[in-house]
Amino acid sequence: MGKNKPPAKYSAAGLLWRGLRKQSWPRVWREPEFKNSYDVVIIGGGVHGLATAYYLAANHGITDIAVVDRAYLGSGGSGRNTAIVRSNYLTPEGVAFYDRSLDLYKSMSNDLNLNVMFSERGHLTLAHTDSALRTMHWRAEVNKLQGIDSSVIDPAEIKRLTPSLDVSTNTRYPIMGALYHPPGGTIRHDAVVWGYARGADAYGVDLFQQTEVLDILTEGDHGSGRVTGVRTNKGDISTPIVVNCTAGWASTISAMVDVQLPITTHPLQAAVTEPVKTFLPTVVVSGSLHVYVSQTDRGELVFGASVDPVATYNMGGTLEFTEELASHVLELMPGISKMRLLRQWAGLCDMTPDYSPVMGPTPVAGFYVDVGWGTYGFKAGPVSGEQMAACVATGETPHLIKPFELSRFTEGNLVGEKGAAAVGH
Amino acid sequence: MNHRLPPADGEVLDRTKALTFTWNGKKLEGFEGDTITSALMANGHHIIGRSMKYHRPRGVLTADFWDPNTTVQVGDEPNVRASHRKLEAGMQVVAQNVWPSLSFDIKAANGLVGRFLTAGFYYKTFMKPAALWPRYEHVLAKFAPGGEVDLDTPHGRYDKRFAHPDVVVAGGGPAGLSAAIAAAEAGSSVMLVEHEHHVGGHLLWGTEEDRARVADLTAAALAAGVEILTNSTVTGRYEDNWIAILQRNHPGVVERLIKARAKTLVVAAGTIERPYVFEGNDLPGVMTSGAVRRLITMYGVKPGKQAVVFSANESGEAAIDDLRRAGVSIARVVDALTGERIVSTKGSKKRVKEVLLEDGAKIKCDLVVTAVGWTTPTSLLNMAGDRPVYDADAARFFPSGAPDNVLATGGMVGDGSLDDLIEHGRVTGELAAGRAAVVRHRLQVATARAETVDEAEPGYLADERTPLDRWPHPELFRASTHGIVDYSEDVSSKDLYSAAAEGFDSVELIKRFTTATMGPSQGKLETVNTVAVLAQARGDSIGDVGTTVWRPPYAPISLGALAGRINEPTRLSVIQPWHEANGATPILAGQWVRPDHYGDPLSEVRNTRENVGIIDVTPLGKLDLQGPDVANLLSLLYTNKWMQLPIGSVRYGIMCAEDGVVLDDGVTARLDEEHYLMTTTSSGAARIWSWIEMWLQTERPEWQVHVTPVTTGLTSINIAGPKSRALLGRLTDIDLDNEAFPYMRVRQGLIAGIEQCIAWRIGFTGELSYEIHVPSGHGLAVWERLLAEGADLGVKPFGLEAQRIMRLEKGHFIVGQDTDGLSKAPVTGLDPLLKFDKDDWAGLPEVRWSLESGDHPVIVACQPDDRSIVPEEAAQILRSGTTEIVGRITSSRMSPTLERSICLAQVSKEFADAGTSLEVLLVDGRRITATVIEHHAHFDPEGERLRG
Amino acid sequence: MLLVPCPNCGPRNAADLSYNGESRPRPDPQTCSPEEWRTYLYLRDNPSGWLVESWYCSSGCRKHFTIERHTLTGELRTPILPGSKPGATKGSTK
């Protein structure tokens, strides 16, 4: 452990003890003093930034770190996603990477001493056409070779797993089969943020909310010099290493050091219904219908779709999203037309041309990126943190993230995830 | 009906119409006009539900749409708001969130362990042993609140409407009505949308004179042409004033979604009375002053026998009058303005029975009424970008400013006499109409086909409204005790204190950690108290804590209403009805419904190879290209050469995107000097049309080409097989002699009596074949003629599956199946079609670099060594004895012609040479071997059949 | 839903149009380096602010045009058909 004492241990006994003594719990993280120098500054207090900080401290002993976020912790994509995790990707490099993430998620409640409520409920990607079914088979075959539990199942098995789905053949989008991934599921996204924040804080990492980066200070030529610090609304920090762990604003942050990215920013919308008694035991995704749905323990249905076609930083959301969502969900589950949509929201997604992230060093020395996370950033949070920490600490790009380096675009070595459906959940 | 008051002025009941309904199976009666809860209370039922976490009994708190603990199940409909929904005869109403029954609820035991179940407790436990978490999770899920979904619920009738009003007014209180009238009188078309069942807002439960004003205003609005929608909610304000309105009372439909492009939106949503936080504030019998006023005046319900009224304002005073009028004795008026305070209440299992005051007095009662102030439903304004600001003197949030096309009026922007509110509404309505007129004029200019709009643009109106006053009000949020802040989520002020102490001390974090404001009313009722308690806990001001961002919808909206009439379009060839009548099994291919086969695809293949078959290929994308620069265009979009294509010839080509990836393929025919017909893949038709227009308009605007999509204008039929010449010859005047009309040529002429038909010879199936394109009005007739005339030749229709088998026998790849999103042109193996001596074509550089690097997979044909095994499409090809993926099977079938399994595969280049043995991993885990063959074609590689 | 002022049709719901994204000049395919070509293909400014981009009136007149849009506020200005001058086309209603 770092210089601070370990955080209060969470447990049932602790709840009982404090309940009896009417004692409150200590703060999850400190309110640190703003220093003017750190070994590492991480921009973005979401799962990626906090996990990077946590693993830098836990795995590499680097604790003189500031994590800055312009709003509150988890205010970006980390708190806006639909909390689905899975590892049944199309390419071997994708599978290996996300499977490591799933492993970290599985042991996270224990590792971070905070229940992130990982619900391993099984993940179904429906196929409504021959060609979609072929892609499901392709994914399943690649997955199996990597040791991932993933297979294509028939409509009868789909009905058994998820009785609310209409598997009759006379629908506009008949369900012809599904890629079934039993280890996939959902997790409490905010808890993941708080778990990493609490863990990093315990190692002495300083977390600064409401702290906006205004500029990144460099020396040398534009686009190829070296990082010397960051300028924030709370003052300047000198540092040799800046890690861009933002989503949505990845391009604008990188533009501060003249690094151009293969990214356009699109909103991804989601919505939640009023709660009803639980009836949907799996995560259901339909690429053709651009929808995914799961039911929380509280009984709400959580819906997502594919990103909006128009690039924008506006998170206002659209009516059309809810209309299309509803008509598509009712194609799949005709019996829920009387359920009501309670809330819709949007998060910003940094889309790349090959549906894969951009990770590792850049032409500017000391400026690292962990960006371009599209619609799959949350699932990759733990492994990204672990690998980015290794990258920053050792100066070497670990093999798991080597395929995702920025240089692949100018070299023409795009990652093959583009073959997977546009809805990547 | 022991709690029903005698008839009185202001009630909305029709006492001549008694309605029978059931409550948890018990038969009860109410009147037409009752809400479900008013009917229940009139019958003496005060517990309507139980709270989410502690299962405490709950009753009516606000008696309006936002009433937090009165959601019930009505038949197959969950989560019905019983304080809003009107009673209907025969309704089967059941309490939600109770087990086993409303009066005896076992989960109420949760209340006993409440101090251990602090907010976010689940984050702190159940980590160990990890194996047990799924079981805990299962138990937690049993506590899910809400009603039950009947999965057999039919999709009822829902509808949608588009509207283009000048002004939409959200809220039909006095200010909203007045704004609507003024806007309409100024020449605007106006929609007035009222959330509740009647316009009038708070006047409805006011005095007789108040209701007379409502009648006058309503009459004036109707006279001015205002469209009044009641029981309808403006659920969202989206970009450029795109307004969503949910109409719940449109005849003939369950609900209707109106999408209105308003030129100006006026928000007159009024205020919502906020509850007071104190110990026992959730007991049945604790209500807001508005609740008792609505219940007494509108619904003729006596809410209790003996009341304590905690009042800080005129609404509390009015409630006292109403209570007295209803025969409720007033045990005590606790006057907040003189500093008197409620501390806590005690209750029986069923309702409140005693109130403790700060001066130590304990007062028996069965009704506690609080009038502690207001909260402003700024949600719609937030959606337009407004960020509300707290005013400590008035003790509530106010809007701070929205875009020019969104205006607020009424109680949400200030206080005043009824006349003040109406006047503010009137000025706002005029302003809204004036600004709408500017937008209307610009729209006319922008869309005018001729210069018909010459009037000068109306001047832009600045906002010069005199603001309403803000009356001082004490900041009353919480007593000295802790109580419930969020009734639907069961979050107490104590939970908020401990969450803040743990560091979840911003409004967004505390919301996420405790779930306060996340329930069915989305914080309309709860946010202000959440913020106030957090401010107390932090020792901060409410203004510094700020508020959360409200998101759409304003009120929950059913999936049925959002979906409307479910109508996913499909496309059909004119022959499709014939196919279905003749036993075709349909298959969905993109938007098209096509015949997959007519019973036996293998015999369809055999018949086509031996005799003649016809297939409806209408979905093939077809573009008519005319002009002097068509050859230039083709040369730019295809990888091969087109400048010298003779009239009467057909050529095959591949198109690439700018990244070199194969985009589409097909044949294009030159019909005349400047006239070509291009075909694309079925799924690519729309995309290629756009692609062509993009190049023509942005990169080569000087070229002259007309592009017309003719996919459905022409019915396309492929006649294939050795007897196809004989068959077509019976129907056409075109000379079909092999010399006169050889392979890869096009001819035009008469077919089946139809003029100007096009026929070309191509060979997708590998047989002698003619693809004919006839005007679609004659498509079915030509199809039937072919079958009739060719009966003796053995003509039979064939479907998509037979075509796929035959194309695979011939080794023709399919874009998107044998290629994928990263397949650059060299993957196809058709290197001779990549012409680098042309100046330019789409994707040229990437294709050249890819070819130069040689580092790309290629499509090969291969045959399993065990001819009876058909590897699945997607089966992986591995480096022998390893798990290293070196390719995959992209197409596979059992060939009825060769009587063996055949495949196309994508493999790394080192595995592409003829004779290479491939190790194929079948889906069932077996590994088999397959051998790469020399050509793509498994059958007739020299193409003798199709040239014959 | 955004109202997009097509220079030919006037303001239309965004759903009636197709979005083609940031306008990028196309390098000479004969002489460009891989880096130049791939910058054209993949790299984007993606600013949070004003952006010149390309739209296609796919359900209307089927004209491609460029327009300036503010990616944070949704404001649109100066729609231009290829080859014409700004101001020669019908303007926005805003």
Side-chain angles (χ1 to χ4, degrees):
Chain A
M1 282 284 170
K3 52 197 170 189
N4 291 61
K5 64 176 185 167
K9 187 95 175 144
Y10 290 158
S11 66
L15 273 172
L16 190 65
W17 178 253
R18 286 174 197 265
L20 287 171
R21 307 186 134 221
K22 301 192 175 176
Q23 245 180 24
S24 63
W25 292 89
R27 288 185 65 90
V28 270
W29 54 75
R30 295 164 294 127
E31 286 184 288
E33 295 275 317
F34 191 83
K35 294 197 298 173
N36 56 16
S37 167
Y38 284 93
D39 289 347
V40 179
V41 172
I42 294 171
I43 306 173
V47 174
H48 282 252
L50 293 166
T52 302
Y54 173 80
Y55 290 112
L56 271 170
N59 295 356
H60 305 280
I62 298 172
T63 58
D64 187 33
I65 304 170
V67 179
V68 297
D69 196 291
R70 74 172 185 182
Y72 58 94
L73 297 182
S75 53
S78 299
R80 296 168 187 270
N81 65 80
T82 48
I84 295 168
V85 293
R86 65 176 177 92
S87 66
N88 56 348
Y89 279 73
L90 181 62
T91 59
E93 50 271 53
V95 172
F97 183 75
Y98 290 98
D99 196 44
R100 174 66 188 150
S101 211
L102 202 52
D103 278 348
L104 289 168
Y105 267 131
K106 280 183 185 167
S107 62
M108 182 176 288
S109 292
N110 206 21
D111 295 347
L112 296 179
N113 175 234
L114 186 132
N115 189 350
V116 295
M117 288 176 258
F118 181 33
S119 172
E120 194 172 330
R121 56 179 63 187
H123 183 282
L124 290 172
T125 312
L126 305 176
H128 306 280
T129 62
D130 272 3
S131 62
L133 198 56
R134 200 156 38 233
T135 305
M136 298 310 141
H137 274 294
W138 181 6
R139 275 166 65 178
E141 291 308 296
V142 173
N143 294 164
K144 282 193 272 186
L145 280 165
Q146 307 279 119
I148 307 298
D149 188 355
S150 175
S151 59
V152 175
I153 60 173
D154 64 15
E157 178 70 0
I158 295 168
K159 188 75 183 171
R160 194 186 66 73
L161 288 166
T162 310
S164 54
L165 288 174
D166 180 2
V167 298
S168 60
T169 52
N170 56 351
T171 58
R172 172 66 180 83
Y173 298 96
I175 295 173
M176 299 173 68
L179 182 65
Y180 179 44
H181 180 44
T186 60
I187 204 160
R188 184 84 176 90
H189 52 10
D190 291 328
V192 176
V193 172
W194 302 332
Y196 277 123
R198 176 168 168 263
D201 172 86
Y203 280 113
V205 172
D206 288 351
L207 311 176
F208 298 107
Q209 305 186 71
Q210 310 295 336
T211 306
E212 184 172 1
V213 171
L214 307 172
D215 200 1
I216 298 171
L217 312 173
T218 55
E219 59 185 26
D221 291 340
H222 278 297
S224 62
R226 122 174 329 276
V227 165
T228 59
V230 295
R231 174 155 298 152
T232 78
N233 60 341
K234 297 211 175 130
D236 286 2
I237 303 173
S238 71
T239 181
I241 293 175
V242 170
V243 189
N244 179 1
C245 287
T246 60
W249 287 270
S251 297
T252 51
I253 295 286
S254 294
M256 293 173 181
V257 290
D258 292 319
V259 169
Q260 205 178 30
L261 297 173
I263 282 176
T264 52
T265 298
H266 296 255
L268 178 67
Q269 300 196 57
V272 67
T273 65
E274 292 183 337
V276 293
K277 299 292 181 227
T278 51
F279 68 90
L280 180 66
T282 55
V283 178
V284 176
V285 179
S286 164
S288 305
L289 289 169
H290 304 286
V291 62
Y292 50 94
V293 53
S294 67
Q295 190 170 22
T296 67
D297 290 342
R298 287 157 49 82
E300 305 145 321
L301 292 185
V302 180
F303 301 120
S306 46
V307 293
D308 293 0
V310 179
T312 173
Y313 288 82
N314 183 330
M315 287 190 278
T318 64
L319 177 63
E320 293 61 49
F321 158 72
T322 60
E323 294 182 81
E324 281 164 27
L325 180 77
S327 64
H328 289 161
V329 164
L330 292 177
E331 285 279 339
L332 299 175
M333 295 188 275
I336 63 169
S337 57
K338 291 184 178 175
M339 287 188 73
R340 291 184 194 84
L341 202 81
L342 183 58
R343 178 173 71 251
Q344 69 176 108
W345 67 93
L348 295 182
C349 292
D350 290 333
M351 304 308 294
T352 61
D354 61 356
Y355 297 86
S356 296
V358 183
M359 301 178 78
T362 66
V364 176
F367 184 68
Y368 293 83
V369 289
D370 172 25
V371 298
W373 277 106
T375 60
Y376 24 85
F378 178 72
K379 340 182 145 45
V383 66
S384 301
E386 182 190 60
Q387 300 296 312
M388 284 305 295
C391 184
V392 169
T394 66
E396 303 275 322
T397 308
H399 77 275
L400 266 185
I401 61 171
K402 196 79 186 168
F404 305 134
E405 282 194 317
L406 176 59
S407 56
R408 75 178 183 275
F409 291 96
T410 44
E411 289 163 6
N413 294 321
L414 273 59
V415 180
E417 285 298 339
K418 204 176 175 181
V423 175
H425 300 269
Chain B
M1 297 202 185
N2 50 346
H3 293 70
R4 188 70 84 181
L5 296 166
D9 175 72
E11 72 177 28
V12 296
L13 305 176
D14 181 347
R15 300 213 188 204
T16 65
K17 289 185 185 148
L19 305 175
T20 306
F21 68 107
T22 62
W23 170 237
N24 298 322
K26 191 178 163 190
K27 205 174 248 188
L28 298 175
E29 251 185 29
F31 292 121
E32 174 114 4
D34 259 324
T35 63
I36 294 171
T37 53
S38 72
L40 287 173
M41 289 181 73
N43 282 284
H45 291 273
H46 292 276
I47 305 177
I48 314 291
R50 288 201 171 247
S51 73
M52 176 182 139
K53 211 155 75 178
Y54 305 121
H55 284 250
R56 290 163 65 92
R58 294 277 170 83
V60 167
L61 177 73
T62 66
D64 64 359
F65 190 91
W66 306 113
D67 212 349
N69 289 124
T70 56
T71 51
V72 295
Q73 180 97 24
V74 177
D76 62 6
E77 185 177 359
N79 301 334
V80 173
R81 286 162 154 70
S83 291
H84 175 81
R85 180 67 62 87
K86 290 286 185 181
L87 191 68
E88 289 168 29
M91 261 184 172
Q92 296 181 323
V93 185
V94 177
Q96 290 181 175
N97 210 23
V98 294
W99 186 75
S101 74
L102 183 62
S103 53
F104 176 73
D105 186 314
I106 287 179
K107 289 179 208 157
N110 277 7
L112 300 178
V113 293
R115 73 163 80 154
F116 311 114
L117 305 184
T118 50
F121 77 93
Y122 31 79
Y123 297 121
K124 299 194 178 80
T125 185
F126 307 133
M127 280 87 76
K128 283 183 180 176
L132 277 184
W133 163 243
R135 292 193 193 181
Y136 296 137
E137 190 199 355
H138 197 65
V139 173
L140 282 182
K142 291 252 182 273
F143 283 78
E148 280 188 55
V149 170
D150 177 351
L151 293 175
D152 294 325
T153 306
H155 185 67
R157 212 174 141 74
Y158 296 88
D159 213 347
K160 292 189 184 177
R161 168 187 165 194
F162 285 92
H164 303 271
D166 290 328
V167 178
V168 166
V169 180
L177 276 165
S178 169
I181 295 163
E185 286 177 347
S188 281
S189 59
V190 182
M191 292 173 82
L192 175 77
V193 186
E194 169 54 45
H195 190 51
E196 291 292 341
H197 301 273
H198 313 272
V199 294
H202 68 275
L203 301 183
L204 289 172
W205 52 89
T207 62
E208 254 185 272
E209 300 87 81
D210 286 342
R211 285 185 289 276
R213 286 298 278 278
V214 175
D216 291 348
L217 288 167
T218 309
L222 291 172
V226 174
E227 180 181 4
I228 298 179
L229 302 167
T230 55
N231 194 12
S232 301
T233 305
V234 175
T235 59
R237 186 272 181 191
Y238 301 90
E239 275 180 312
D240 289 336
N241 263 1
W242 185 237
I243 310 294
I245 301 166
L246 177 68
Q247 189 181 7
R248 303 186 199 86
N249 59 358
H250 187 63
V253 294
V254 185
E255 286 171 333
R256 179 162 79 156
L257 178 66
I258 302 173
K259 298 188 272 184
R261 182 70 80 178
K263 294 171 191 74
T264 320
L265 171 67
V266 174
V267 182
T271 54
I272 293 173
E273 191 174 16
R274 60 177 190 249
Y276 190 50
V277 180
F278 58 97
E279 189 181 326
N281 66 341
D282 62 329
L283 285 167
V286 178
M287 293 179 211
T288 62
S289 65
V292 295
R293 298 192 66 196
R294 281 186 278 274
L295 286 169
I296 292 168
T297 304
M298 294 175 69
Y299 300 107
V301 169
K302 185 176 174 183
K305 295 190 187 79
Q306 185 149 322
V308 171
V309 182
F310 180 48
S311 173
N313 53 42
E314 74 285 3
S315 179
E317 302 303 313
I320 292 165
D321 292 343
D322 291 345
L323 287 164
R324 288 202 169 110
R325 184 161 50 81
V328 179
S329 76
I330 306 292
R332 173 78 184 261
V333 173
V334 185
D335 187 350
L337 297 176
T338 63
E340 292 184 322
R341 293 288 183 271
I342 283 181
V343 174
S344 63
T345 61
K346 274 188 189 160
S348 68
K349 277 184 182 166
K350 291 193 170 163
R351 72 183 289 158
V352 63
K353 63 179 187 190
E354 187 180 274
V355 174
L356 175 65
L357 304 184
E358 216 165 52
D359 60 16
K362 292 179 180 172
I363 299 147
K364 298 274 182 234
C365 63
D366 66 349
L367 182 64
V368 176
V369 180
T370 64
V372 296
W374 315 101
T375 177
T376 315
T378 53
S379 178
L380 287 174
L381 296 169
N382 294 160
M383 294 174 209
D386 184 281
R387 293 291 168 263
V389 171
Y390 183 71
D391 182 332
D393 293 330
R396 68 182 201 258
F397 283 90
F398 287 96
S400 65
D404 286 353
N405 56 6
V406 178
L407 301 167
T409 185
M412 56 195 314
V413 296
D415 304 291
S417 67
L418 181 54
D419 286 333
D420 293 341
L421 293 173
I422 288 174
E423 174 60 13
H424 193 269
R426 188 189 66 76
V427 179
T428 304
E430 281 178 357
L431 180 59
R435 288 190 175 172
V438 177
V439 179
R440 191 171 55 218
H441 183 271
R442 287 183 190 166
L443 268 171
Q444 282 166 354
V445 171
T447 55
R449 289 278 151 242
E451 297 304 312
T452 51
V453 185
D454 53 4
E455 255 175 82
E457 180 170 309
Y460 174 80
L461 294 182
D463 185 354
E464 288 167 346
R465 291 175 293 168
T466 309
L468 283 169
D469 287 344
R470 293 180 183 184
W471 291 346
H473 195 286
E475 289 188 277
L476 283 171
F477 296 97
R478 185 172 76 86
S480 54
T481 51
H482 282 297
I484 293 295
V485 172
D486 189 318
Y487 291 81
S488 39
E489 294 289 308
D490 237 4
V491 178
S492 71
S493 52
K494 200 172 172 185
D495 289 329
L496 298 179
Y497 263 70
S498 57
E502 282 189 57
F504 298 100
D505 52 3
S506 71
V507 65
E508 290 292 345
L509 282 174
I510 206 165
K511 173 175 120 182
R512 288 158 181 276
F513 186 69
T514 65
T515 75
T517 76
M518 305 278 270
S521 65
Q522 288 290 289
K524 301 283 181 315
L525 202 60
E526 303 88 351
T527 296
V528 71
N529 285 346
T530 303
V531 169
V533 170
L534 176 58
Q536 282 182 347
R538 275 174 30 172
D540 231 333
S541 74
I542 292 173
D544 284 339
V545 172
T547 182
T548 58
V549 177
W550 271 277
R551 298 183 170 114
Y554 183 80
I557 177 166
S558 70
L559 297 179
L562 287 168
R565 302 182 193 183
I566 294 187
N567 179 22
E568 296 278 343
T570 51
R571 304 179 77 183
L572 306 175
S573 142
V574 294
I575 313 176
Q576 185 62 24
W578 184 96
H579 299 316
E580 285 176 20
N582 287 273
T585 298
I587 186 171
L588 282 161
Q591 286 186 315
W592 290 91
V593 180
R594 310 181 61 173
D596 193 23
H597 56 79
Y598 300 83
D600 181 3
L602 299 185
S603 77
E604 289 166 22
V605 171
R606 281 188 286 265
N607 185 63
T608 304
R609 294 249 184 260
E610 287 162 19
N611 299 308
V612 57
I614 60 172
I615 179 171
D616 178 4
V617 291
T618 301
L620 203 64
K622 295 178 283 289
L623 294 166
D624 181 274
L625 306 173
Q626 299 193 44
D629 293 305
V630 176
N632 284 324
L633 175 75
L634 299 174
S635 200
L636 180 65
L637 298 185
Y638 284 121
T639 64
N640 53 342
K641 295 198 174 177
W642 291 83
M643 298 308 290
Q644 309 297 330
L645 183 72
I647 294 170
S649 280
V650 178
R651 188 166 285 172
Y652 170 80
I654 301 171
M655 291 187 197
C656 294
E658 287 280 71
D659 59 3
V661 170
V662 178
L663 186 67
D664 208 84
D665 69 344
V667 299
T668 293
R670 187 170 186 187
L671 303 175
D672 208 337
E673 185 63 31
E674 297 185 356
H675 188 189
Y676 294 69
L677 182 64
M678 172 187 278
T679 63
T680 71
T681 60
S682 305
S683 58
R687 186 172 62 234
I688 299 304
W689 180 23
S690 300
W691 181 240
I692 289 174
E693 287 188 329
M694 192 272 286
W695 284 95
L696 286 176
Q697 291 179 36
T698 65
E699 291 292 332
R700 300 290 189 273
E702 69 281 9
W703 285 358
Q704 296 178 44
V705 179
H706 284 291
V707 190
T708 312
V710 292
T711 300
T712 44
L714 296 173
T715 293
S716 305
I717 301 169
N718 193 293
I719 308 157
K723 298 176 185 169
S724 57
R725 181 177 288 128
L727 171 56
L728 185 58
R730 296 175 181 180
L731 293 173
T732 184
D733 65 352
I734 299 169
D735 183 355
L736 300 183
D737 183 81
N738 203 26
E739 298 293 316
F741 187 178
Y743 180 58
M744 293 306 268
R745 297 293 191 278
V746 60
R747 298 289 180 263
Q748 296 177 78
L750 196 73
I751 296 177
I754 314 301
E755 287 174 9
Q756 290 187 321
C757 293
I758 297 163
W760 59 42
R761 278 188 64 183
I762 53 164
F764 197 50
T765 59
E767 294 299 322
L768 169 68
S769 72
Y770 299 87
E771 195 156 281
I772 61 171
H773 307 282
V774 304
S776 62
H778 302 286
L780 178 59
V782 172
W783 176 265
E784 289 181 323
R785 277 288 299 281
L786 283 165
L787 289 168
E789 300 281 338
D792 61 315
L793 299 171
V795 66
K796 294 245 166 62
F798 65 99
L800 201 55
E801 174 61 15
Q803 189 194 43
R804 283 177 178 166
I805 293 170
M806 286 188 275
R807 73 89 199 175
L808 183 56
E809 289 175 339
K810 277 300 291 179
H812 293 301
F813 68 87
I814 295 179
V815 174
Q817 173 168 347
D818 301 293
T819 69
D820 57 58
L822 289 181
S823 303
K824 292 177 185 169
V827 171
T828 63
L830 302 177
D831 296 3
L833 295 189
L834 311 177
K835 299 297 187 188
F836 298 104
D837 53 348
K838 294 196 287 180
D839 282 349
D840 193 4
W841 40 275
L844 182 152
E846 288 290 352
V847 172
R848 180 167 55 210
W849 296 323
S850 171
L851 205 62
E852 282 168 5
S853 81
D855 181 24
H856 57 80
V858 279
I859 293 173
V860 297
C862 64
Q863 298 182 341
D865 297 337
D866 180 339
R867 56 196 299 138
S868 68
I869 296 176
V870 183
E872 295 85 357
E873 291 176 346
Q876 299 295 297
I877 298 167
L878 307 178
R879 188 180 294 282
S880 185
T882 71
T883 58
E884 185 194 339
I885 297 167
V886 297
R888 69 177 195 281
I889 301 291
T890 54
S891 295
S892 62
R893 284 292 187 277
M894 178 56 71
S895 161
T897 312
L898 302 171
E899 296 184 323
R900 72 158 0 271
S901 52
I902 55 171
C903 309
L904 282 179
Q906 251 196 53
V907 294
S908 305
K909 235 179 174 179
E910 61 171 303
F911 292 87
D913 293 339
T916 307
S917 180
L918 303 175
E919 189 167 304
V920 182
L921 176 66
L922 302 182
V923 168
D924 65 13
R926 280 182 295 160
R927 290 188 184 217
I928 62 158
T929 52
T931 304
V932 177
I933 63 170
E934 194 178 342
H935 304 279
H936 279 186
H938 297 269
F939 173 66
D940 186 26
E942 308 305 326
E944 285 165 11
R945 299 175 70 92
L946 51 80
R947 287 190 169 78
Chain C
M1 180 162 28
L2 209 60
L3 266 183
V4 180
C6 168
N8 200 43
C9 303
R12 299 187 66 125
N13 282 349
D16 291 352
L17 295 95
S18 307
Y19 177 68
N20 288 338
E22 206 165 316
S23 294
R24 311 281 293 187
R26 184 169 185 257
D28 182 335
Q30 288 295 344
T31 59
C32 67
S33 67
E35 192 165 353
E36 284 166 342
W37 186 258
R38 286 163 184 160
T39 296
Y40 153 69
L41 284 182
Y42 302 125
L43 298 189
R44 297 292 179 265
D45 288 334
N46 192 33
S48 158
W50 288 102
L51 172 68
V52 180
E53 60 189 16
S54 158
W55 287 74
Y56 178 44
C57 192
S58 49
S59 299
C61 65
R62 297 190 68 84
K63 292 291 183 198
H64 286 264
F65 60 94
T66 59
I67 195 165
E68 290 174 50
R69 182 173 57 99
H70 195 286
T71 59
L72 206 51
T73 65
E75 271 178 280
L76 287 152
R77 66 186 186 198
T78 347
I80 307 172
L81 286 172
S84 62
K85 289 192 175 71
T89 54
K90 291 163 179 171
S92 155
T93 57
K94 283 176 270 184

